[in-house]
Amino acid sequence: MPAVTLRLAQGTPCWVSLMTDDLPGSRAFYGELLGWDFAPGPGPLGEYVRARLGGESVAGLGESSVTGFPVQWTTYFAVDDADRATQSVRECGGTVAVGPLQAERAGRLAIASDVSGAVFGLWQGEEHPGRETGPEPGGPAWAELLTPDANGAAAFYRAVLGVSAAAAEGGSALLVGGRPVAGIRRGDELRGHPPRWRSHFAVRDVDLTARRAAELGGRVLVPPQETVRGRAARLADPRGGHFSVLEARGLT
Protein backbone atom coordinates (compact mmCIF):
# COMPACT_ATOMS: atom_id res chain seq x y z
CA MET A 1 0.00 0.00 0.00
CA PRO A 2 1.44 3.41 -0.94
CA ALA A 3 2.51 5.78 1.81
CA VAL A 4 -0.01 8.44 2.78
CA THR A 5 1.47 11.90 2.33
CA LEU A 6 -1.53 14.02 1.34
CA ARG A 7 -3.77 13.92 4.42
CA LEU A 8 -5.19 17.37 5.08
CA ALA A 9 -4.64 19.10 8.40
CA GLN A 10 -7.14 18.20 11.13
CA GLY A 11 -10.21 20.42 11.04
CA THR A 12 -10.01 21.18 7.32
CA PRO A 13 -13.16 20.46 5.29
CA CYS A 14 -11.86 17.64 3.15
CA TRP A 15 -14.87 16.11 1.40
CA VAL A 16 -18.53 16.63 0.53
CA SER A 17 -20.94 13.80 -0.08
CA LEU A 18 -24.51 13.74 -1.37
CA MET A 19 -27.00 11.10 -0.27
CA THR A 20 -29.87 10.94 -2.75
CA ASP A 21 -32.83 8.74 -3.65
CA ASP A 22 -31.93 8.97 -7.36
CA LEU A 23 -28.25 8.35 -7.98
CA PRO A 24 -28.47 8.12 -11.82
CA GLY A 25 -30.47 11.36 -11.96
CA SER A 26 -28.06 13.12 -9.59
CA ARG A 27 -25.07 12.01 -11.63
CA ALA A 28 -26.68 13.40 -14.77
CA PHE A 29 -27.60 16.73 -13.11
CA TYR A 30 -24.30 17.48 -11.40
CA GLY A 31 -22.23 16.04 -14.23
CA GLU A 32 -23.83 18.45 -16.67
CA LEU A 33 -23.92 21.43 -14.28
CA LEU A 34 -20.43 21.20 -12.78
CA GLY A 35 -18.54 19.21 -15.42
CA TRP A 36 -18.05 16.06 -13.34
CA ASP A 37 -17.40 12.52 -14.45
CA PHE A 38 -17.60 9.58 -12.07
CA ALA A 39 -15.68 6.57 -10.79
CA PRO A 40 -16.71 3.78 -8.37
CA GLY A 41 -16.34 4.50 -4.65
CA PRO A 42 -15.69 2.22 -1.65
CA GLY A 43 -17.94 -0.84 -1.48
CA PRO A 44 -19.00 -0.65 2.22
CA LEU A 45 -20.73 2.67 1.54
CA GLY A 46 -23.37 0.99 -0.64
CA GLU A 47 -24.05 2.32 -4.13
CA TYR A 48 -21.55 5.16 -4.13
CA VAL A 49 -19.45 6.99 -6.72
CA ARG A 50 -16.75 9.63 -6.65
CA ALA A 51 -17.19 12.75 -8.75
CA ARG A 52 -14.05 13.83 -10.60
CA LEU A 53 -12.66 16.87 -12.36
CA GLY A 54 -9.81 16.16 -14.72
CA GLY A 55 -9.34 12.76 -13.12
CA GLU A 56 -9.13 14.15 -9.56
CA SER A 57 -11.75 13.40 -6.91
CA VAL A 58 -13.84 16.33 -5.65
CA ALA A 59 -17.03 14.88 -4.11
CA GLY A 60 -19.05 11.73 -3.48
CA LEU A 61 -22.59 10.72 -4.43
CA GLY A 62 -24.42 7.82 -2.84
CA GLU A 63 -27.88 6.27 -3.02
CA SER A 64 -29.73 6.15 0.30
CA SER A 65 -31.43 2.87 1.16
CA VAL A 66 -33.54 4.51 3.88
CA THR A 67 -37.05 5.49 2.78
CA GLY A 68 -37.74 9.15 3.47
CA PHE A 69 -34.08 9.97 4.19
CA PRO A 70 -33.55 13.65 3.24
CA VAL A 71 -31.55 14.36 0.09
CA GLN A 72 -28.65 16.42 1.38
CA TRP A 73 -24.98 17.27 1.06
CA THR A 74 -22.73 16.48 4.05
CA THR A 75 -19.47 18.28 4.82
CA TYR A 76 -16.65 16.06 6.14
CA PHE A 77 -13.77 17.34 8.25
CA ALA A 78 -10.31 15.79 8.21
CA VAL A 79 -9.27 14.20 11.50
CA ASP A 80 -6.13 12.35 12.53
CA ASP A 81 -8.06 9.75 14.54
CA ALA A 82 -11.74 9.17 13.71
CA ASP A 83 -12.35 7.09 16.86
CA ARG A 84 -10.94 9.76 19.14
CA ALA A 85 -12.82 12.56 17.36
CA THR A 86 -16.06 10.56 17.57
CA GLN A 87 -15.65 10.21 21.31
CA SER A 88 -15.04 13.95 21.53
CA VAL A 89 -18.33 14.58 19.68
CA ARG A 90 -20.18 12.66 22.41
CA GLU A 91 -18.29 14.36 25.24
CA CYS A 92 -19.14 17.79 23.79
CA GLY A 93 -22.87 17.10 23.55
CA GLY A 94 -23.15 15.98 19.93
CA THR A 95 -24.63 12.75 18.58
CA VAL A 96 -22.93 10.04 16.53
CA ALA A 97 -25.24 8.49 13.93
CA VAL A 98 -22.83 6.27 11.94
CA GLY A 99 -19.47 4.75 12.75
CA PRO A 100 -16.66 5.01 13.10
CA LEU A 101 -16.42 2.50 10.27
CA GLN A 102 -13.79 1.50 7.76
CA ALA A 103 -14.35 2.38 4.09
CA GLU A 104 -12.05 -0.32 2.73
CA ARG A 105 -8.54 1.12 2.39
CA ALA A 106 -9.81 4.60 1.55
CA GLY A 107 -10.11 5.69 5.18
CA ARG A 108 -12.21 5.68 8.31
CA LEU A 109 -15.36 7.74 8.76
CA ALA A 110 -18.14 8.76 11.09
CA ILE A 111 -21.30 10.81 10.63
CA ALA A 112 -22.47 12.93 13.54
CA SER A 113 -24.56 15.95 14.46
CA ASP A 114 -23.47 18.92 16.54
CA VAL A 115 -25.22 20.38 19.59
CA SER A 116 -27.84 22.09 17.40
CA GLY A 117 -28.49 19.04 15.22
CA ALA A 118 -26.49 20.01 12.13
CA VAL A 119 -25.09 16.89 10.42
CA PHE A 120 -21.40 16.65 9.51
CA GLY A 121 -18.82 13.96 8.83
CA LEU A 122 -15.39 13.01 10.14
CA TRP A 123 -12.84 11.53 7.75
CA GLN A 124 -9.54 9.89 8.66
CA GLY A 125 -7.92 9.63 5.25
CA GLU A 126 -5.76 6.66 4.34
CA GLU A 127 -5.46 5.83 0.65
CA HIS A 128 -8.03 8.54 -0.06
CA PRO A 129 -7.20 11.75 1.82
CA GLY A 130 -10.26 13.63 0.56
CA ARG A 131 -10.67 16.22 -2.14
CA GLU A 132 -7.71 16.42 -4.50
CA THR A 133 -8.25 19.92 -5.90
CA GLY A 134 -8.48 23.43 -4.53
CA PRO A 135 -11.44 25.77 -5.12
CA GLU A 136 -11.36 25.58 -8.91
CA PRO A 137 -14.50 25.74 -11.09
CA GLY A 138 -16.58 22.64 -10.44
CA GLY A 139 -14.90 21.86 -7.12
CA PRO A 140 -15.82 22.57 -3.49
CA ALA A 141 -15.14 26.19 -2.60
CA TRP A 142 -16.48 26.86 0.88
CA ALA A 143 -18.47 25.28 3.73
CA GLU A 144 -20.78 27.31 5.92
CA LEU A 145 -22.88 26.33 8.91
CA LEU A 146 -26.27 27.98 9.39
CA THR A 147 -27.35 27.63 13.01
CA PRO A 148 -29.44 29.51 15.58
CA ASP A 149 -26.52 29.43 18.03
CA ALA A 150 -23.35 30.48 16.23
CA ASN A 151 -21.34 30.94 19.43
CA GLY A 152 -22.27 27.53 20.79
CA ALA A 153 -21.48 25.90 17.45
CA ALA A 154 -18.06 27.59 17.28
CA ALA A 155 -17.23 26.31 20.76
CA PHE A 156 -18.32 22.78 19.79
CA TYR A 157 -16.19 22.58 16.64
CA ARG A 158 -13.19 24.16 18.38
CA ALA A 159 -13.33 21.41 20.99
CA VAL A 160 -14.05 18.48 18.65
CA LEU A 161 -11.67 19.42 15.84
CA GLY A 162 -8.97 21.23 17.78
CA VAL A 163 -9.27 24.34 15.61
CA SER A 164 -9.51 28.01 16.51
CA ALA A 165 -12.22 30.51 15.61
CA ALA A 166 -12.31 34.22 14.87
CA ALA A 167 -14.98 36.83 14.26
CA ALA A 168 -15.78 37.31 10.58
CA GLU A 169 -18.24 39.41 8.63
CA GLY A 170 -21.67 37.91 9.17
CA GLY A 171 -20.54 35.48 11.88
CA SER A 172 -17.32 33.63 12.65
CA ALA A 173 -14.78 31.47 10.86
CA LEU A 174 -13.04 28.26 11.83
CA LEU A 175 -9.28 28.56 11.42
CA VAL A 176 -6.62 25.94 10.72
CA GLY A 177 -3.10 27.26 10.91
CA GLY A 178 -4.52 30.78 11.06
CA ARG A 179 -6.35 30.33 7.74
CA PRO A 180 -10.18 30.43 7.46
CA VAL A 181 -11.46 27.02 6.35
CA ALA A 182 -15.20 27.22 7.10
CA GLY A 183 -17.81 29.71 8.22
CA ILE A 184 -20.43 29.72 10.97
CA ARG A 185 -23.34 32.09 10.68
CA ARG A 186 -26.55 32.64 12.56
CA GLY A 187 -29.10 31.19 10.17
CA ASP A 188 -31.93 33.67 10.35
CA GLU A 189 -33.17 32.38 6.98
CA LEU A 190 -33.58 28.81 8.29
CA ARG A 191 -37.30 29.56 8.73
CA GLY A 192 -38.18 26.36 10.51
CA HIS A 193 -35.60 24.20 8.73
CA PRO A 194 -33.02 22.41 10.87
CA PRO A 195 -29.47 23.82 11.20
CA ARG A 196 -27.22 22.58 8.42
CA TRP A 197 -23.87 22.83 6.72
CA ARG A 198 -24.14 24.36 3.25
CA SER A 199 -21.77 23.20 0.51
CA HIS A 200 -20.56 25.82 -1.98
CA PHE A 201 -19.11 24.87 -5.37
CA ALA A 202 -16.96 27.17 -7.46
CA VAL A 203 -18.23 28.17 -10.92
CA ARG A 204 -17.03 30.63 -13.55
CA ASP A 205 -20.41 32.35 -13.96
CA VAL A 206 -23.01 32.18 -11.19
CA ASP A 207 -25.83 33.66 -13.29
CA LEU A 208 -25.29 31.20 -16.12
CA THR A 209 -25.03 28.28 -13.67
CA ALA A 210 -28.29 29.23 -11.94
CA ARG A 211 -30.12 29.37 -15.28
CA ARG A 212 -28.64 26.04 -16.33
CA ALA A 213 -29.63 24.40 -13.02
CA ALA A 214 -33.26 25.38 -13.66
CA GLU A 215 -33.07 24.06 -17.23
CA LEU A 216 -31.81 20.73 -15.87
CA GLY A 217 -34.79 20.38 -13.51
CA GLY A 218 -33.35 22.04 -10.40
CA ARG A 219 -34.56 25.19 -8.65
CA VAL A 220 -33.10 28.60 -7.86
CA LEU A 221 -33.78 29.13 -4.14
CA VAL A 222 -31.91 32.44 -3.83
CA PRO A 223 -31.05 34.24 -7.09
CA PRO A 224 -27.47 35.33 -7.83
CA GLN A 225 -26.35 38.17 -5.59
CA GLU A 226 -23.20 39.68 -4.14
CA THR A 227 -22.08 38.20 -0.80
CA VAL A 228 -19.10 38.65 1.50
CA ARG A 229 -17.33 35.86 -0.39
CA GLY A 230 -18.27 36.95 -3.90
CA ARG A 231 -21.23 36.49 -6.20
CA ALA A 232 -23.27 33.46 -5.17
CA ALA A 233 -26.62 31.71 -5.62
CA ARG A 234 -28.43 29.05 -3.61
CA LEU A 235 -29.84 26.17 -5.65
CA ALA A 236 -31.61 22.84 -5.28
CA ASP A 237 -31.12 19.76 -7.43
CA PRO A 238 -34.13 17.92 -8.94
CA ARG A 239 -34.48 15.73 -5.82
CA GLY A 240 -34.36 18.68 -3.40
CA GLY A 241 -30.71 18.63 -2.34
CA HIS A 242 -29.65 22.19 -1.44
CA PHE A 243 -26.25 23.59 -2.42
CA SER A 244 -24.69 26.92 -3.34
CA VAL A 245 -22.48 28.11 -6.16
CA LEU A 246 -19.81 30.76 -5.74
CA GLU A 247 -18.14 32.67 -8.55
CA ALA A 248 -14.51 31.67 -8.88
CA ARG A 249 -13.34 35.28 -8.99
CA GLY A 250 -14.54 35.70 -5.41
CA LEU A 251 -12.35 32.92 -4.00
CA THR A 252 -9.34 33.60 -1.79
Side-chain angles (χ1 to χ4, degrees), residues 17-101:
S17 189
L18 174 73
M19 293 306 294
T20 179
D21 56 4
D22 180 11
L23 184 56
S26 295
R27 288 177 59 163
F29 175 82
Y30 288 102
E32 178 67 26
L33 189 70
L34 298 177
W36 293 347
D37 60 27
F38 301 91
L45 300 181
E47 193 171 357
Y48 188 85
V49 295
R50 288 180 183 156
R52 303 184 304 179
L53 279 174
E56 297 186 326
S57 299
V58 293
L61 283 76
E63 180 126 26
S64 174
S65 60
V66 180
T67 302
F69 189 86
V71 176
Q72 62 184 21
W73 283 96
T74 298
T75 296
Y76 284 76
F77 292 89
V79 293
D80 296 330
D81 186 324
D83 294 78
R84 183 181 303 166
T86 299
Q87 182 59 32
S88 182
V89 168
R90 295 189 178 99
E91 292 171 352
C92 293
T95 302
V96 178
V98 176
L101 60 83

Side-chain angles (χ1 to χ4, degrees), residues 6-244:
L6 299 176
R7 182 183 293 174
L8 297 172
Q10 173 149 321
T12 305
C14 64
W15 192 244
V16 289
S17 189
L18 174 73
M19 293 306 294
T20 179
D21 56 4
D22 180 11
L23 184 56
S26 295
R27 288 177 59 163
F29 175 82
Y30 288 102
E32 178 67 26
L33 189 70
L34 298 177
W36 293 347
D37 60 27
F38 301 91
L45 300 181
E47 193 171 357
Y48 188 85
V49 295
R50 288 180 183 156
R52 303 184 304 179
L53 279 174
E56 297 186 326
S57 299
V58 293
L61 283 76
E63 180 126 26
S64 174
S65 60
V66 180
T67 302
F69 189 86
V71 176
Q72 62 184 21
W73 283 96
T74 298
T75 296
Y76 284 76
F77 292 89
V79 293
D80 296 330
D81 186 324
D83 294 78
R84 183 181 303 166
T86 299
Q87 182 59 32
S88 182
V89 168
R90 295 189 178 99
E91 292 171 352
C92 293
T95 302
V96 178
V98 176
L101 60 83
Q102 194 70 24
E104 296 179 345
R105 292 184 294 181
R108 192 161 176 78
L109 69 88
I111 300 174
S113 57
D114 64 24
V115 286
S116 69
V119 175
F120 66 100
L122 301 169
W123 180 252
Q124 178 186 334
E126 294 173 7
E127 285 192 354
H128 176 61
R131 58 176 169 79
E132 297 173 332
T133 66
E136 64 182 56
W142 184 245
E144 183 178 71
L145 174 65
L146 300 179
T147 177
D149 182 8
N151 291 334
F156 173 86
Y157 289 100
R158 286 201 311 267
V160 169
L161 300 175
V163 298
S164 56
E169 188 172 354
S172 61
L174 300 181
L175 309 178
V176 173
R179 179 177 63 90
V181 297
I184 296 177
R185 185 161 60 85
R186 179 171 175 173
D188 295 326
E189 74 265 39
L190 285 170
R191 297 172 186 169
H193 294 286
R196 61 183 178 271
W197 280 94
R198 182 182 296 162
S199 297
H200 294 64
F201 297 98
V203 297
R204 297 190 188 280
D205 187 321
V206 163
D207 296 77
L208 178 62
T209 302
R211 290 196 297 271
R212 186 60 179 143
E215 292 170 355
L216 292 169
R219 290 180 293 141
V220 178
L221 302 176
V222 176
Q225 58 186 279
E226 296 300 324
T227 73
V228 296
R229 298 200 66 81
R231 191 163 181 78
R234 184 148 49 95
L235 311 174
D237 67 28
R239 303 306 299 166
H242 291 197
F243 64 103
S244 294

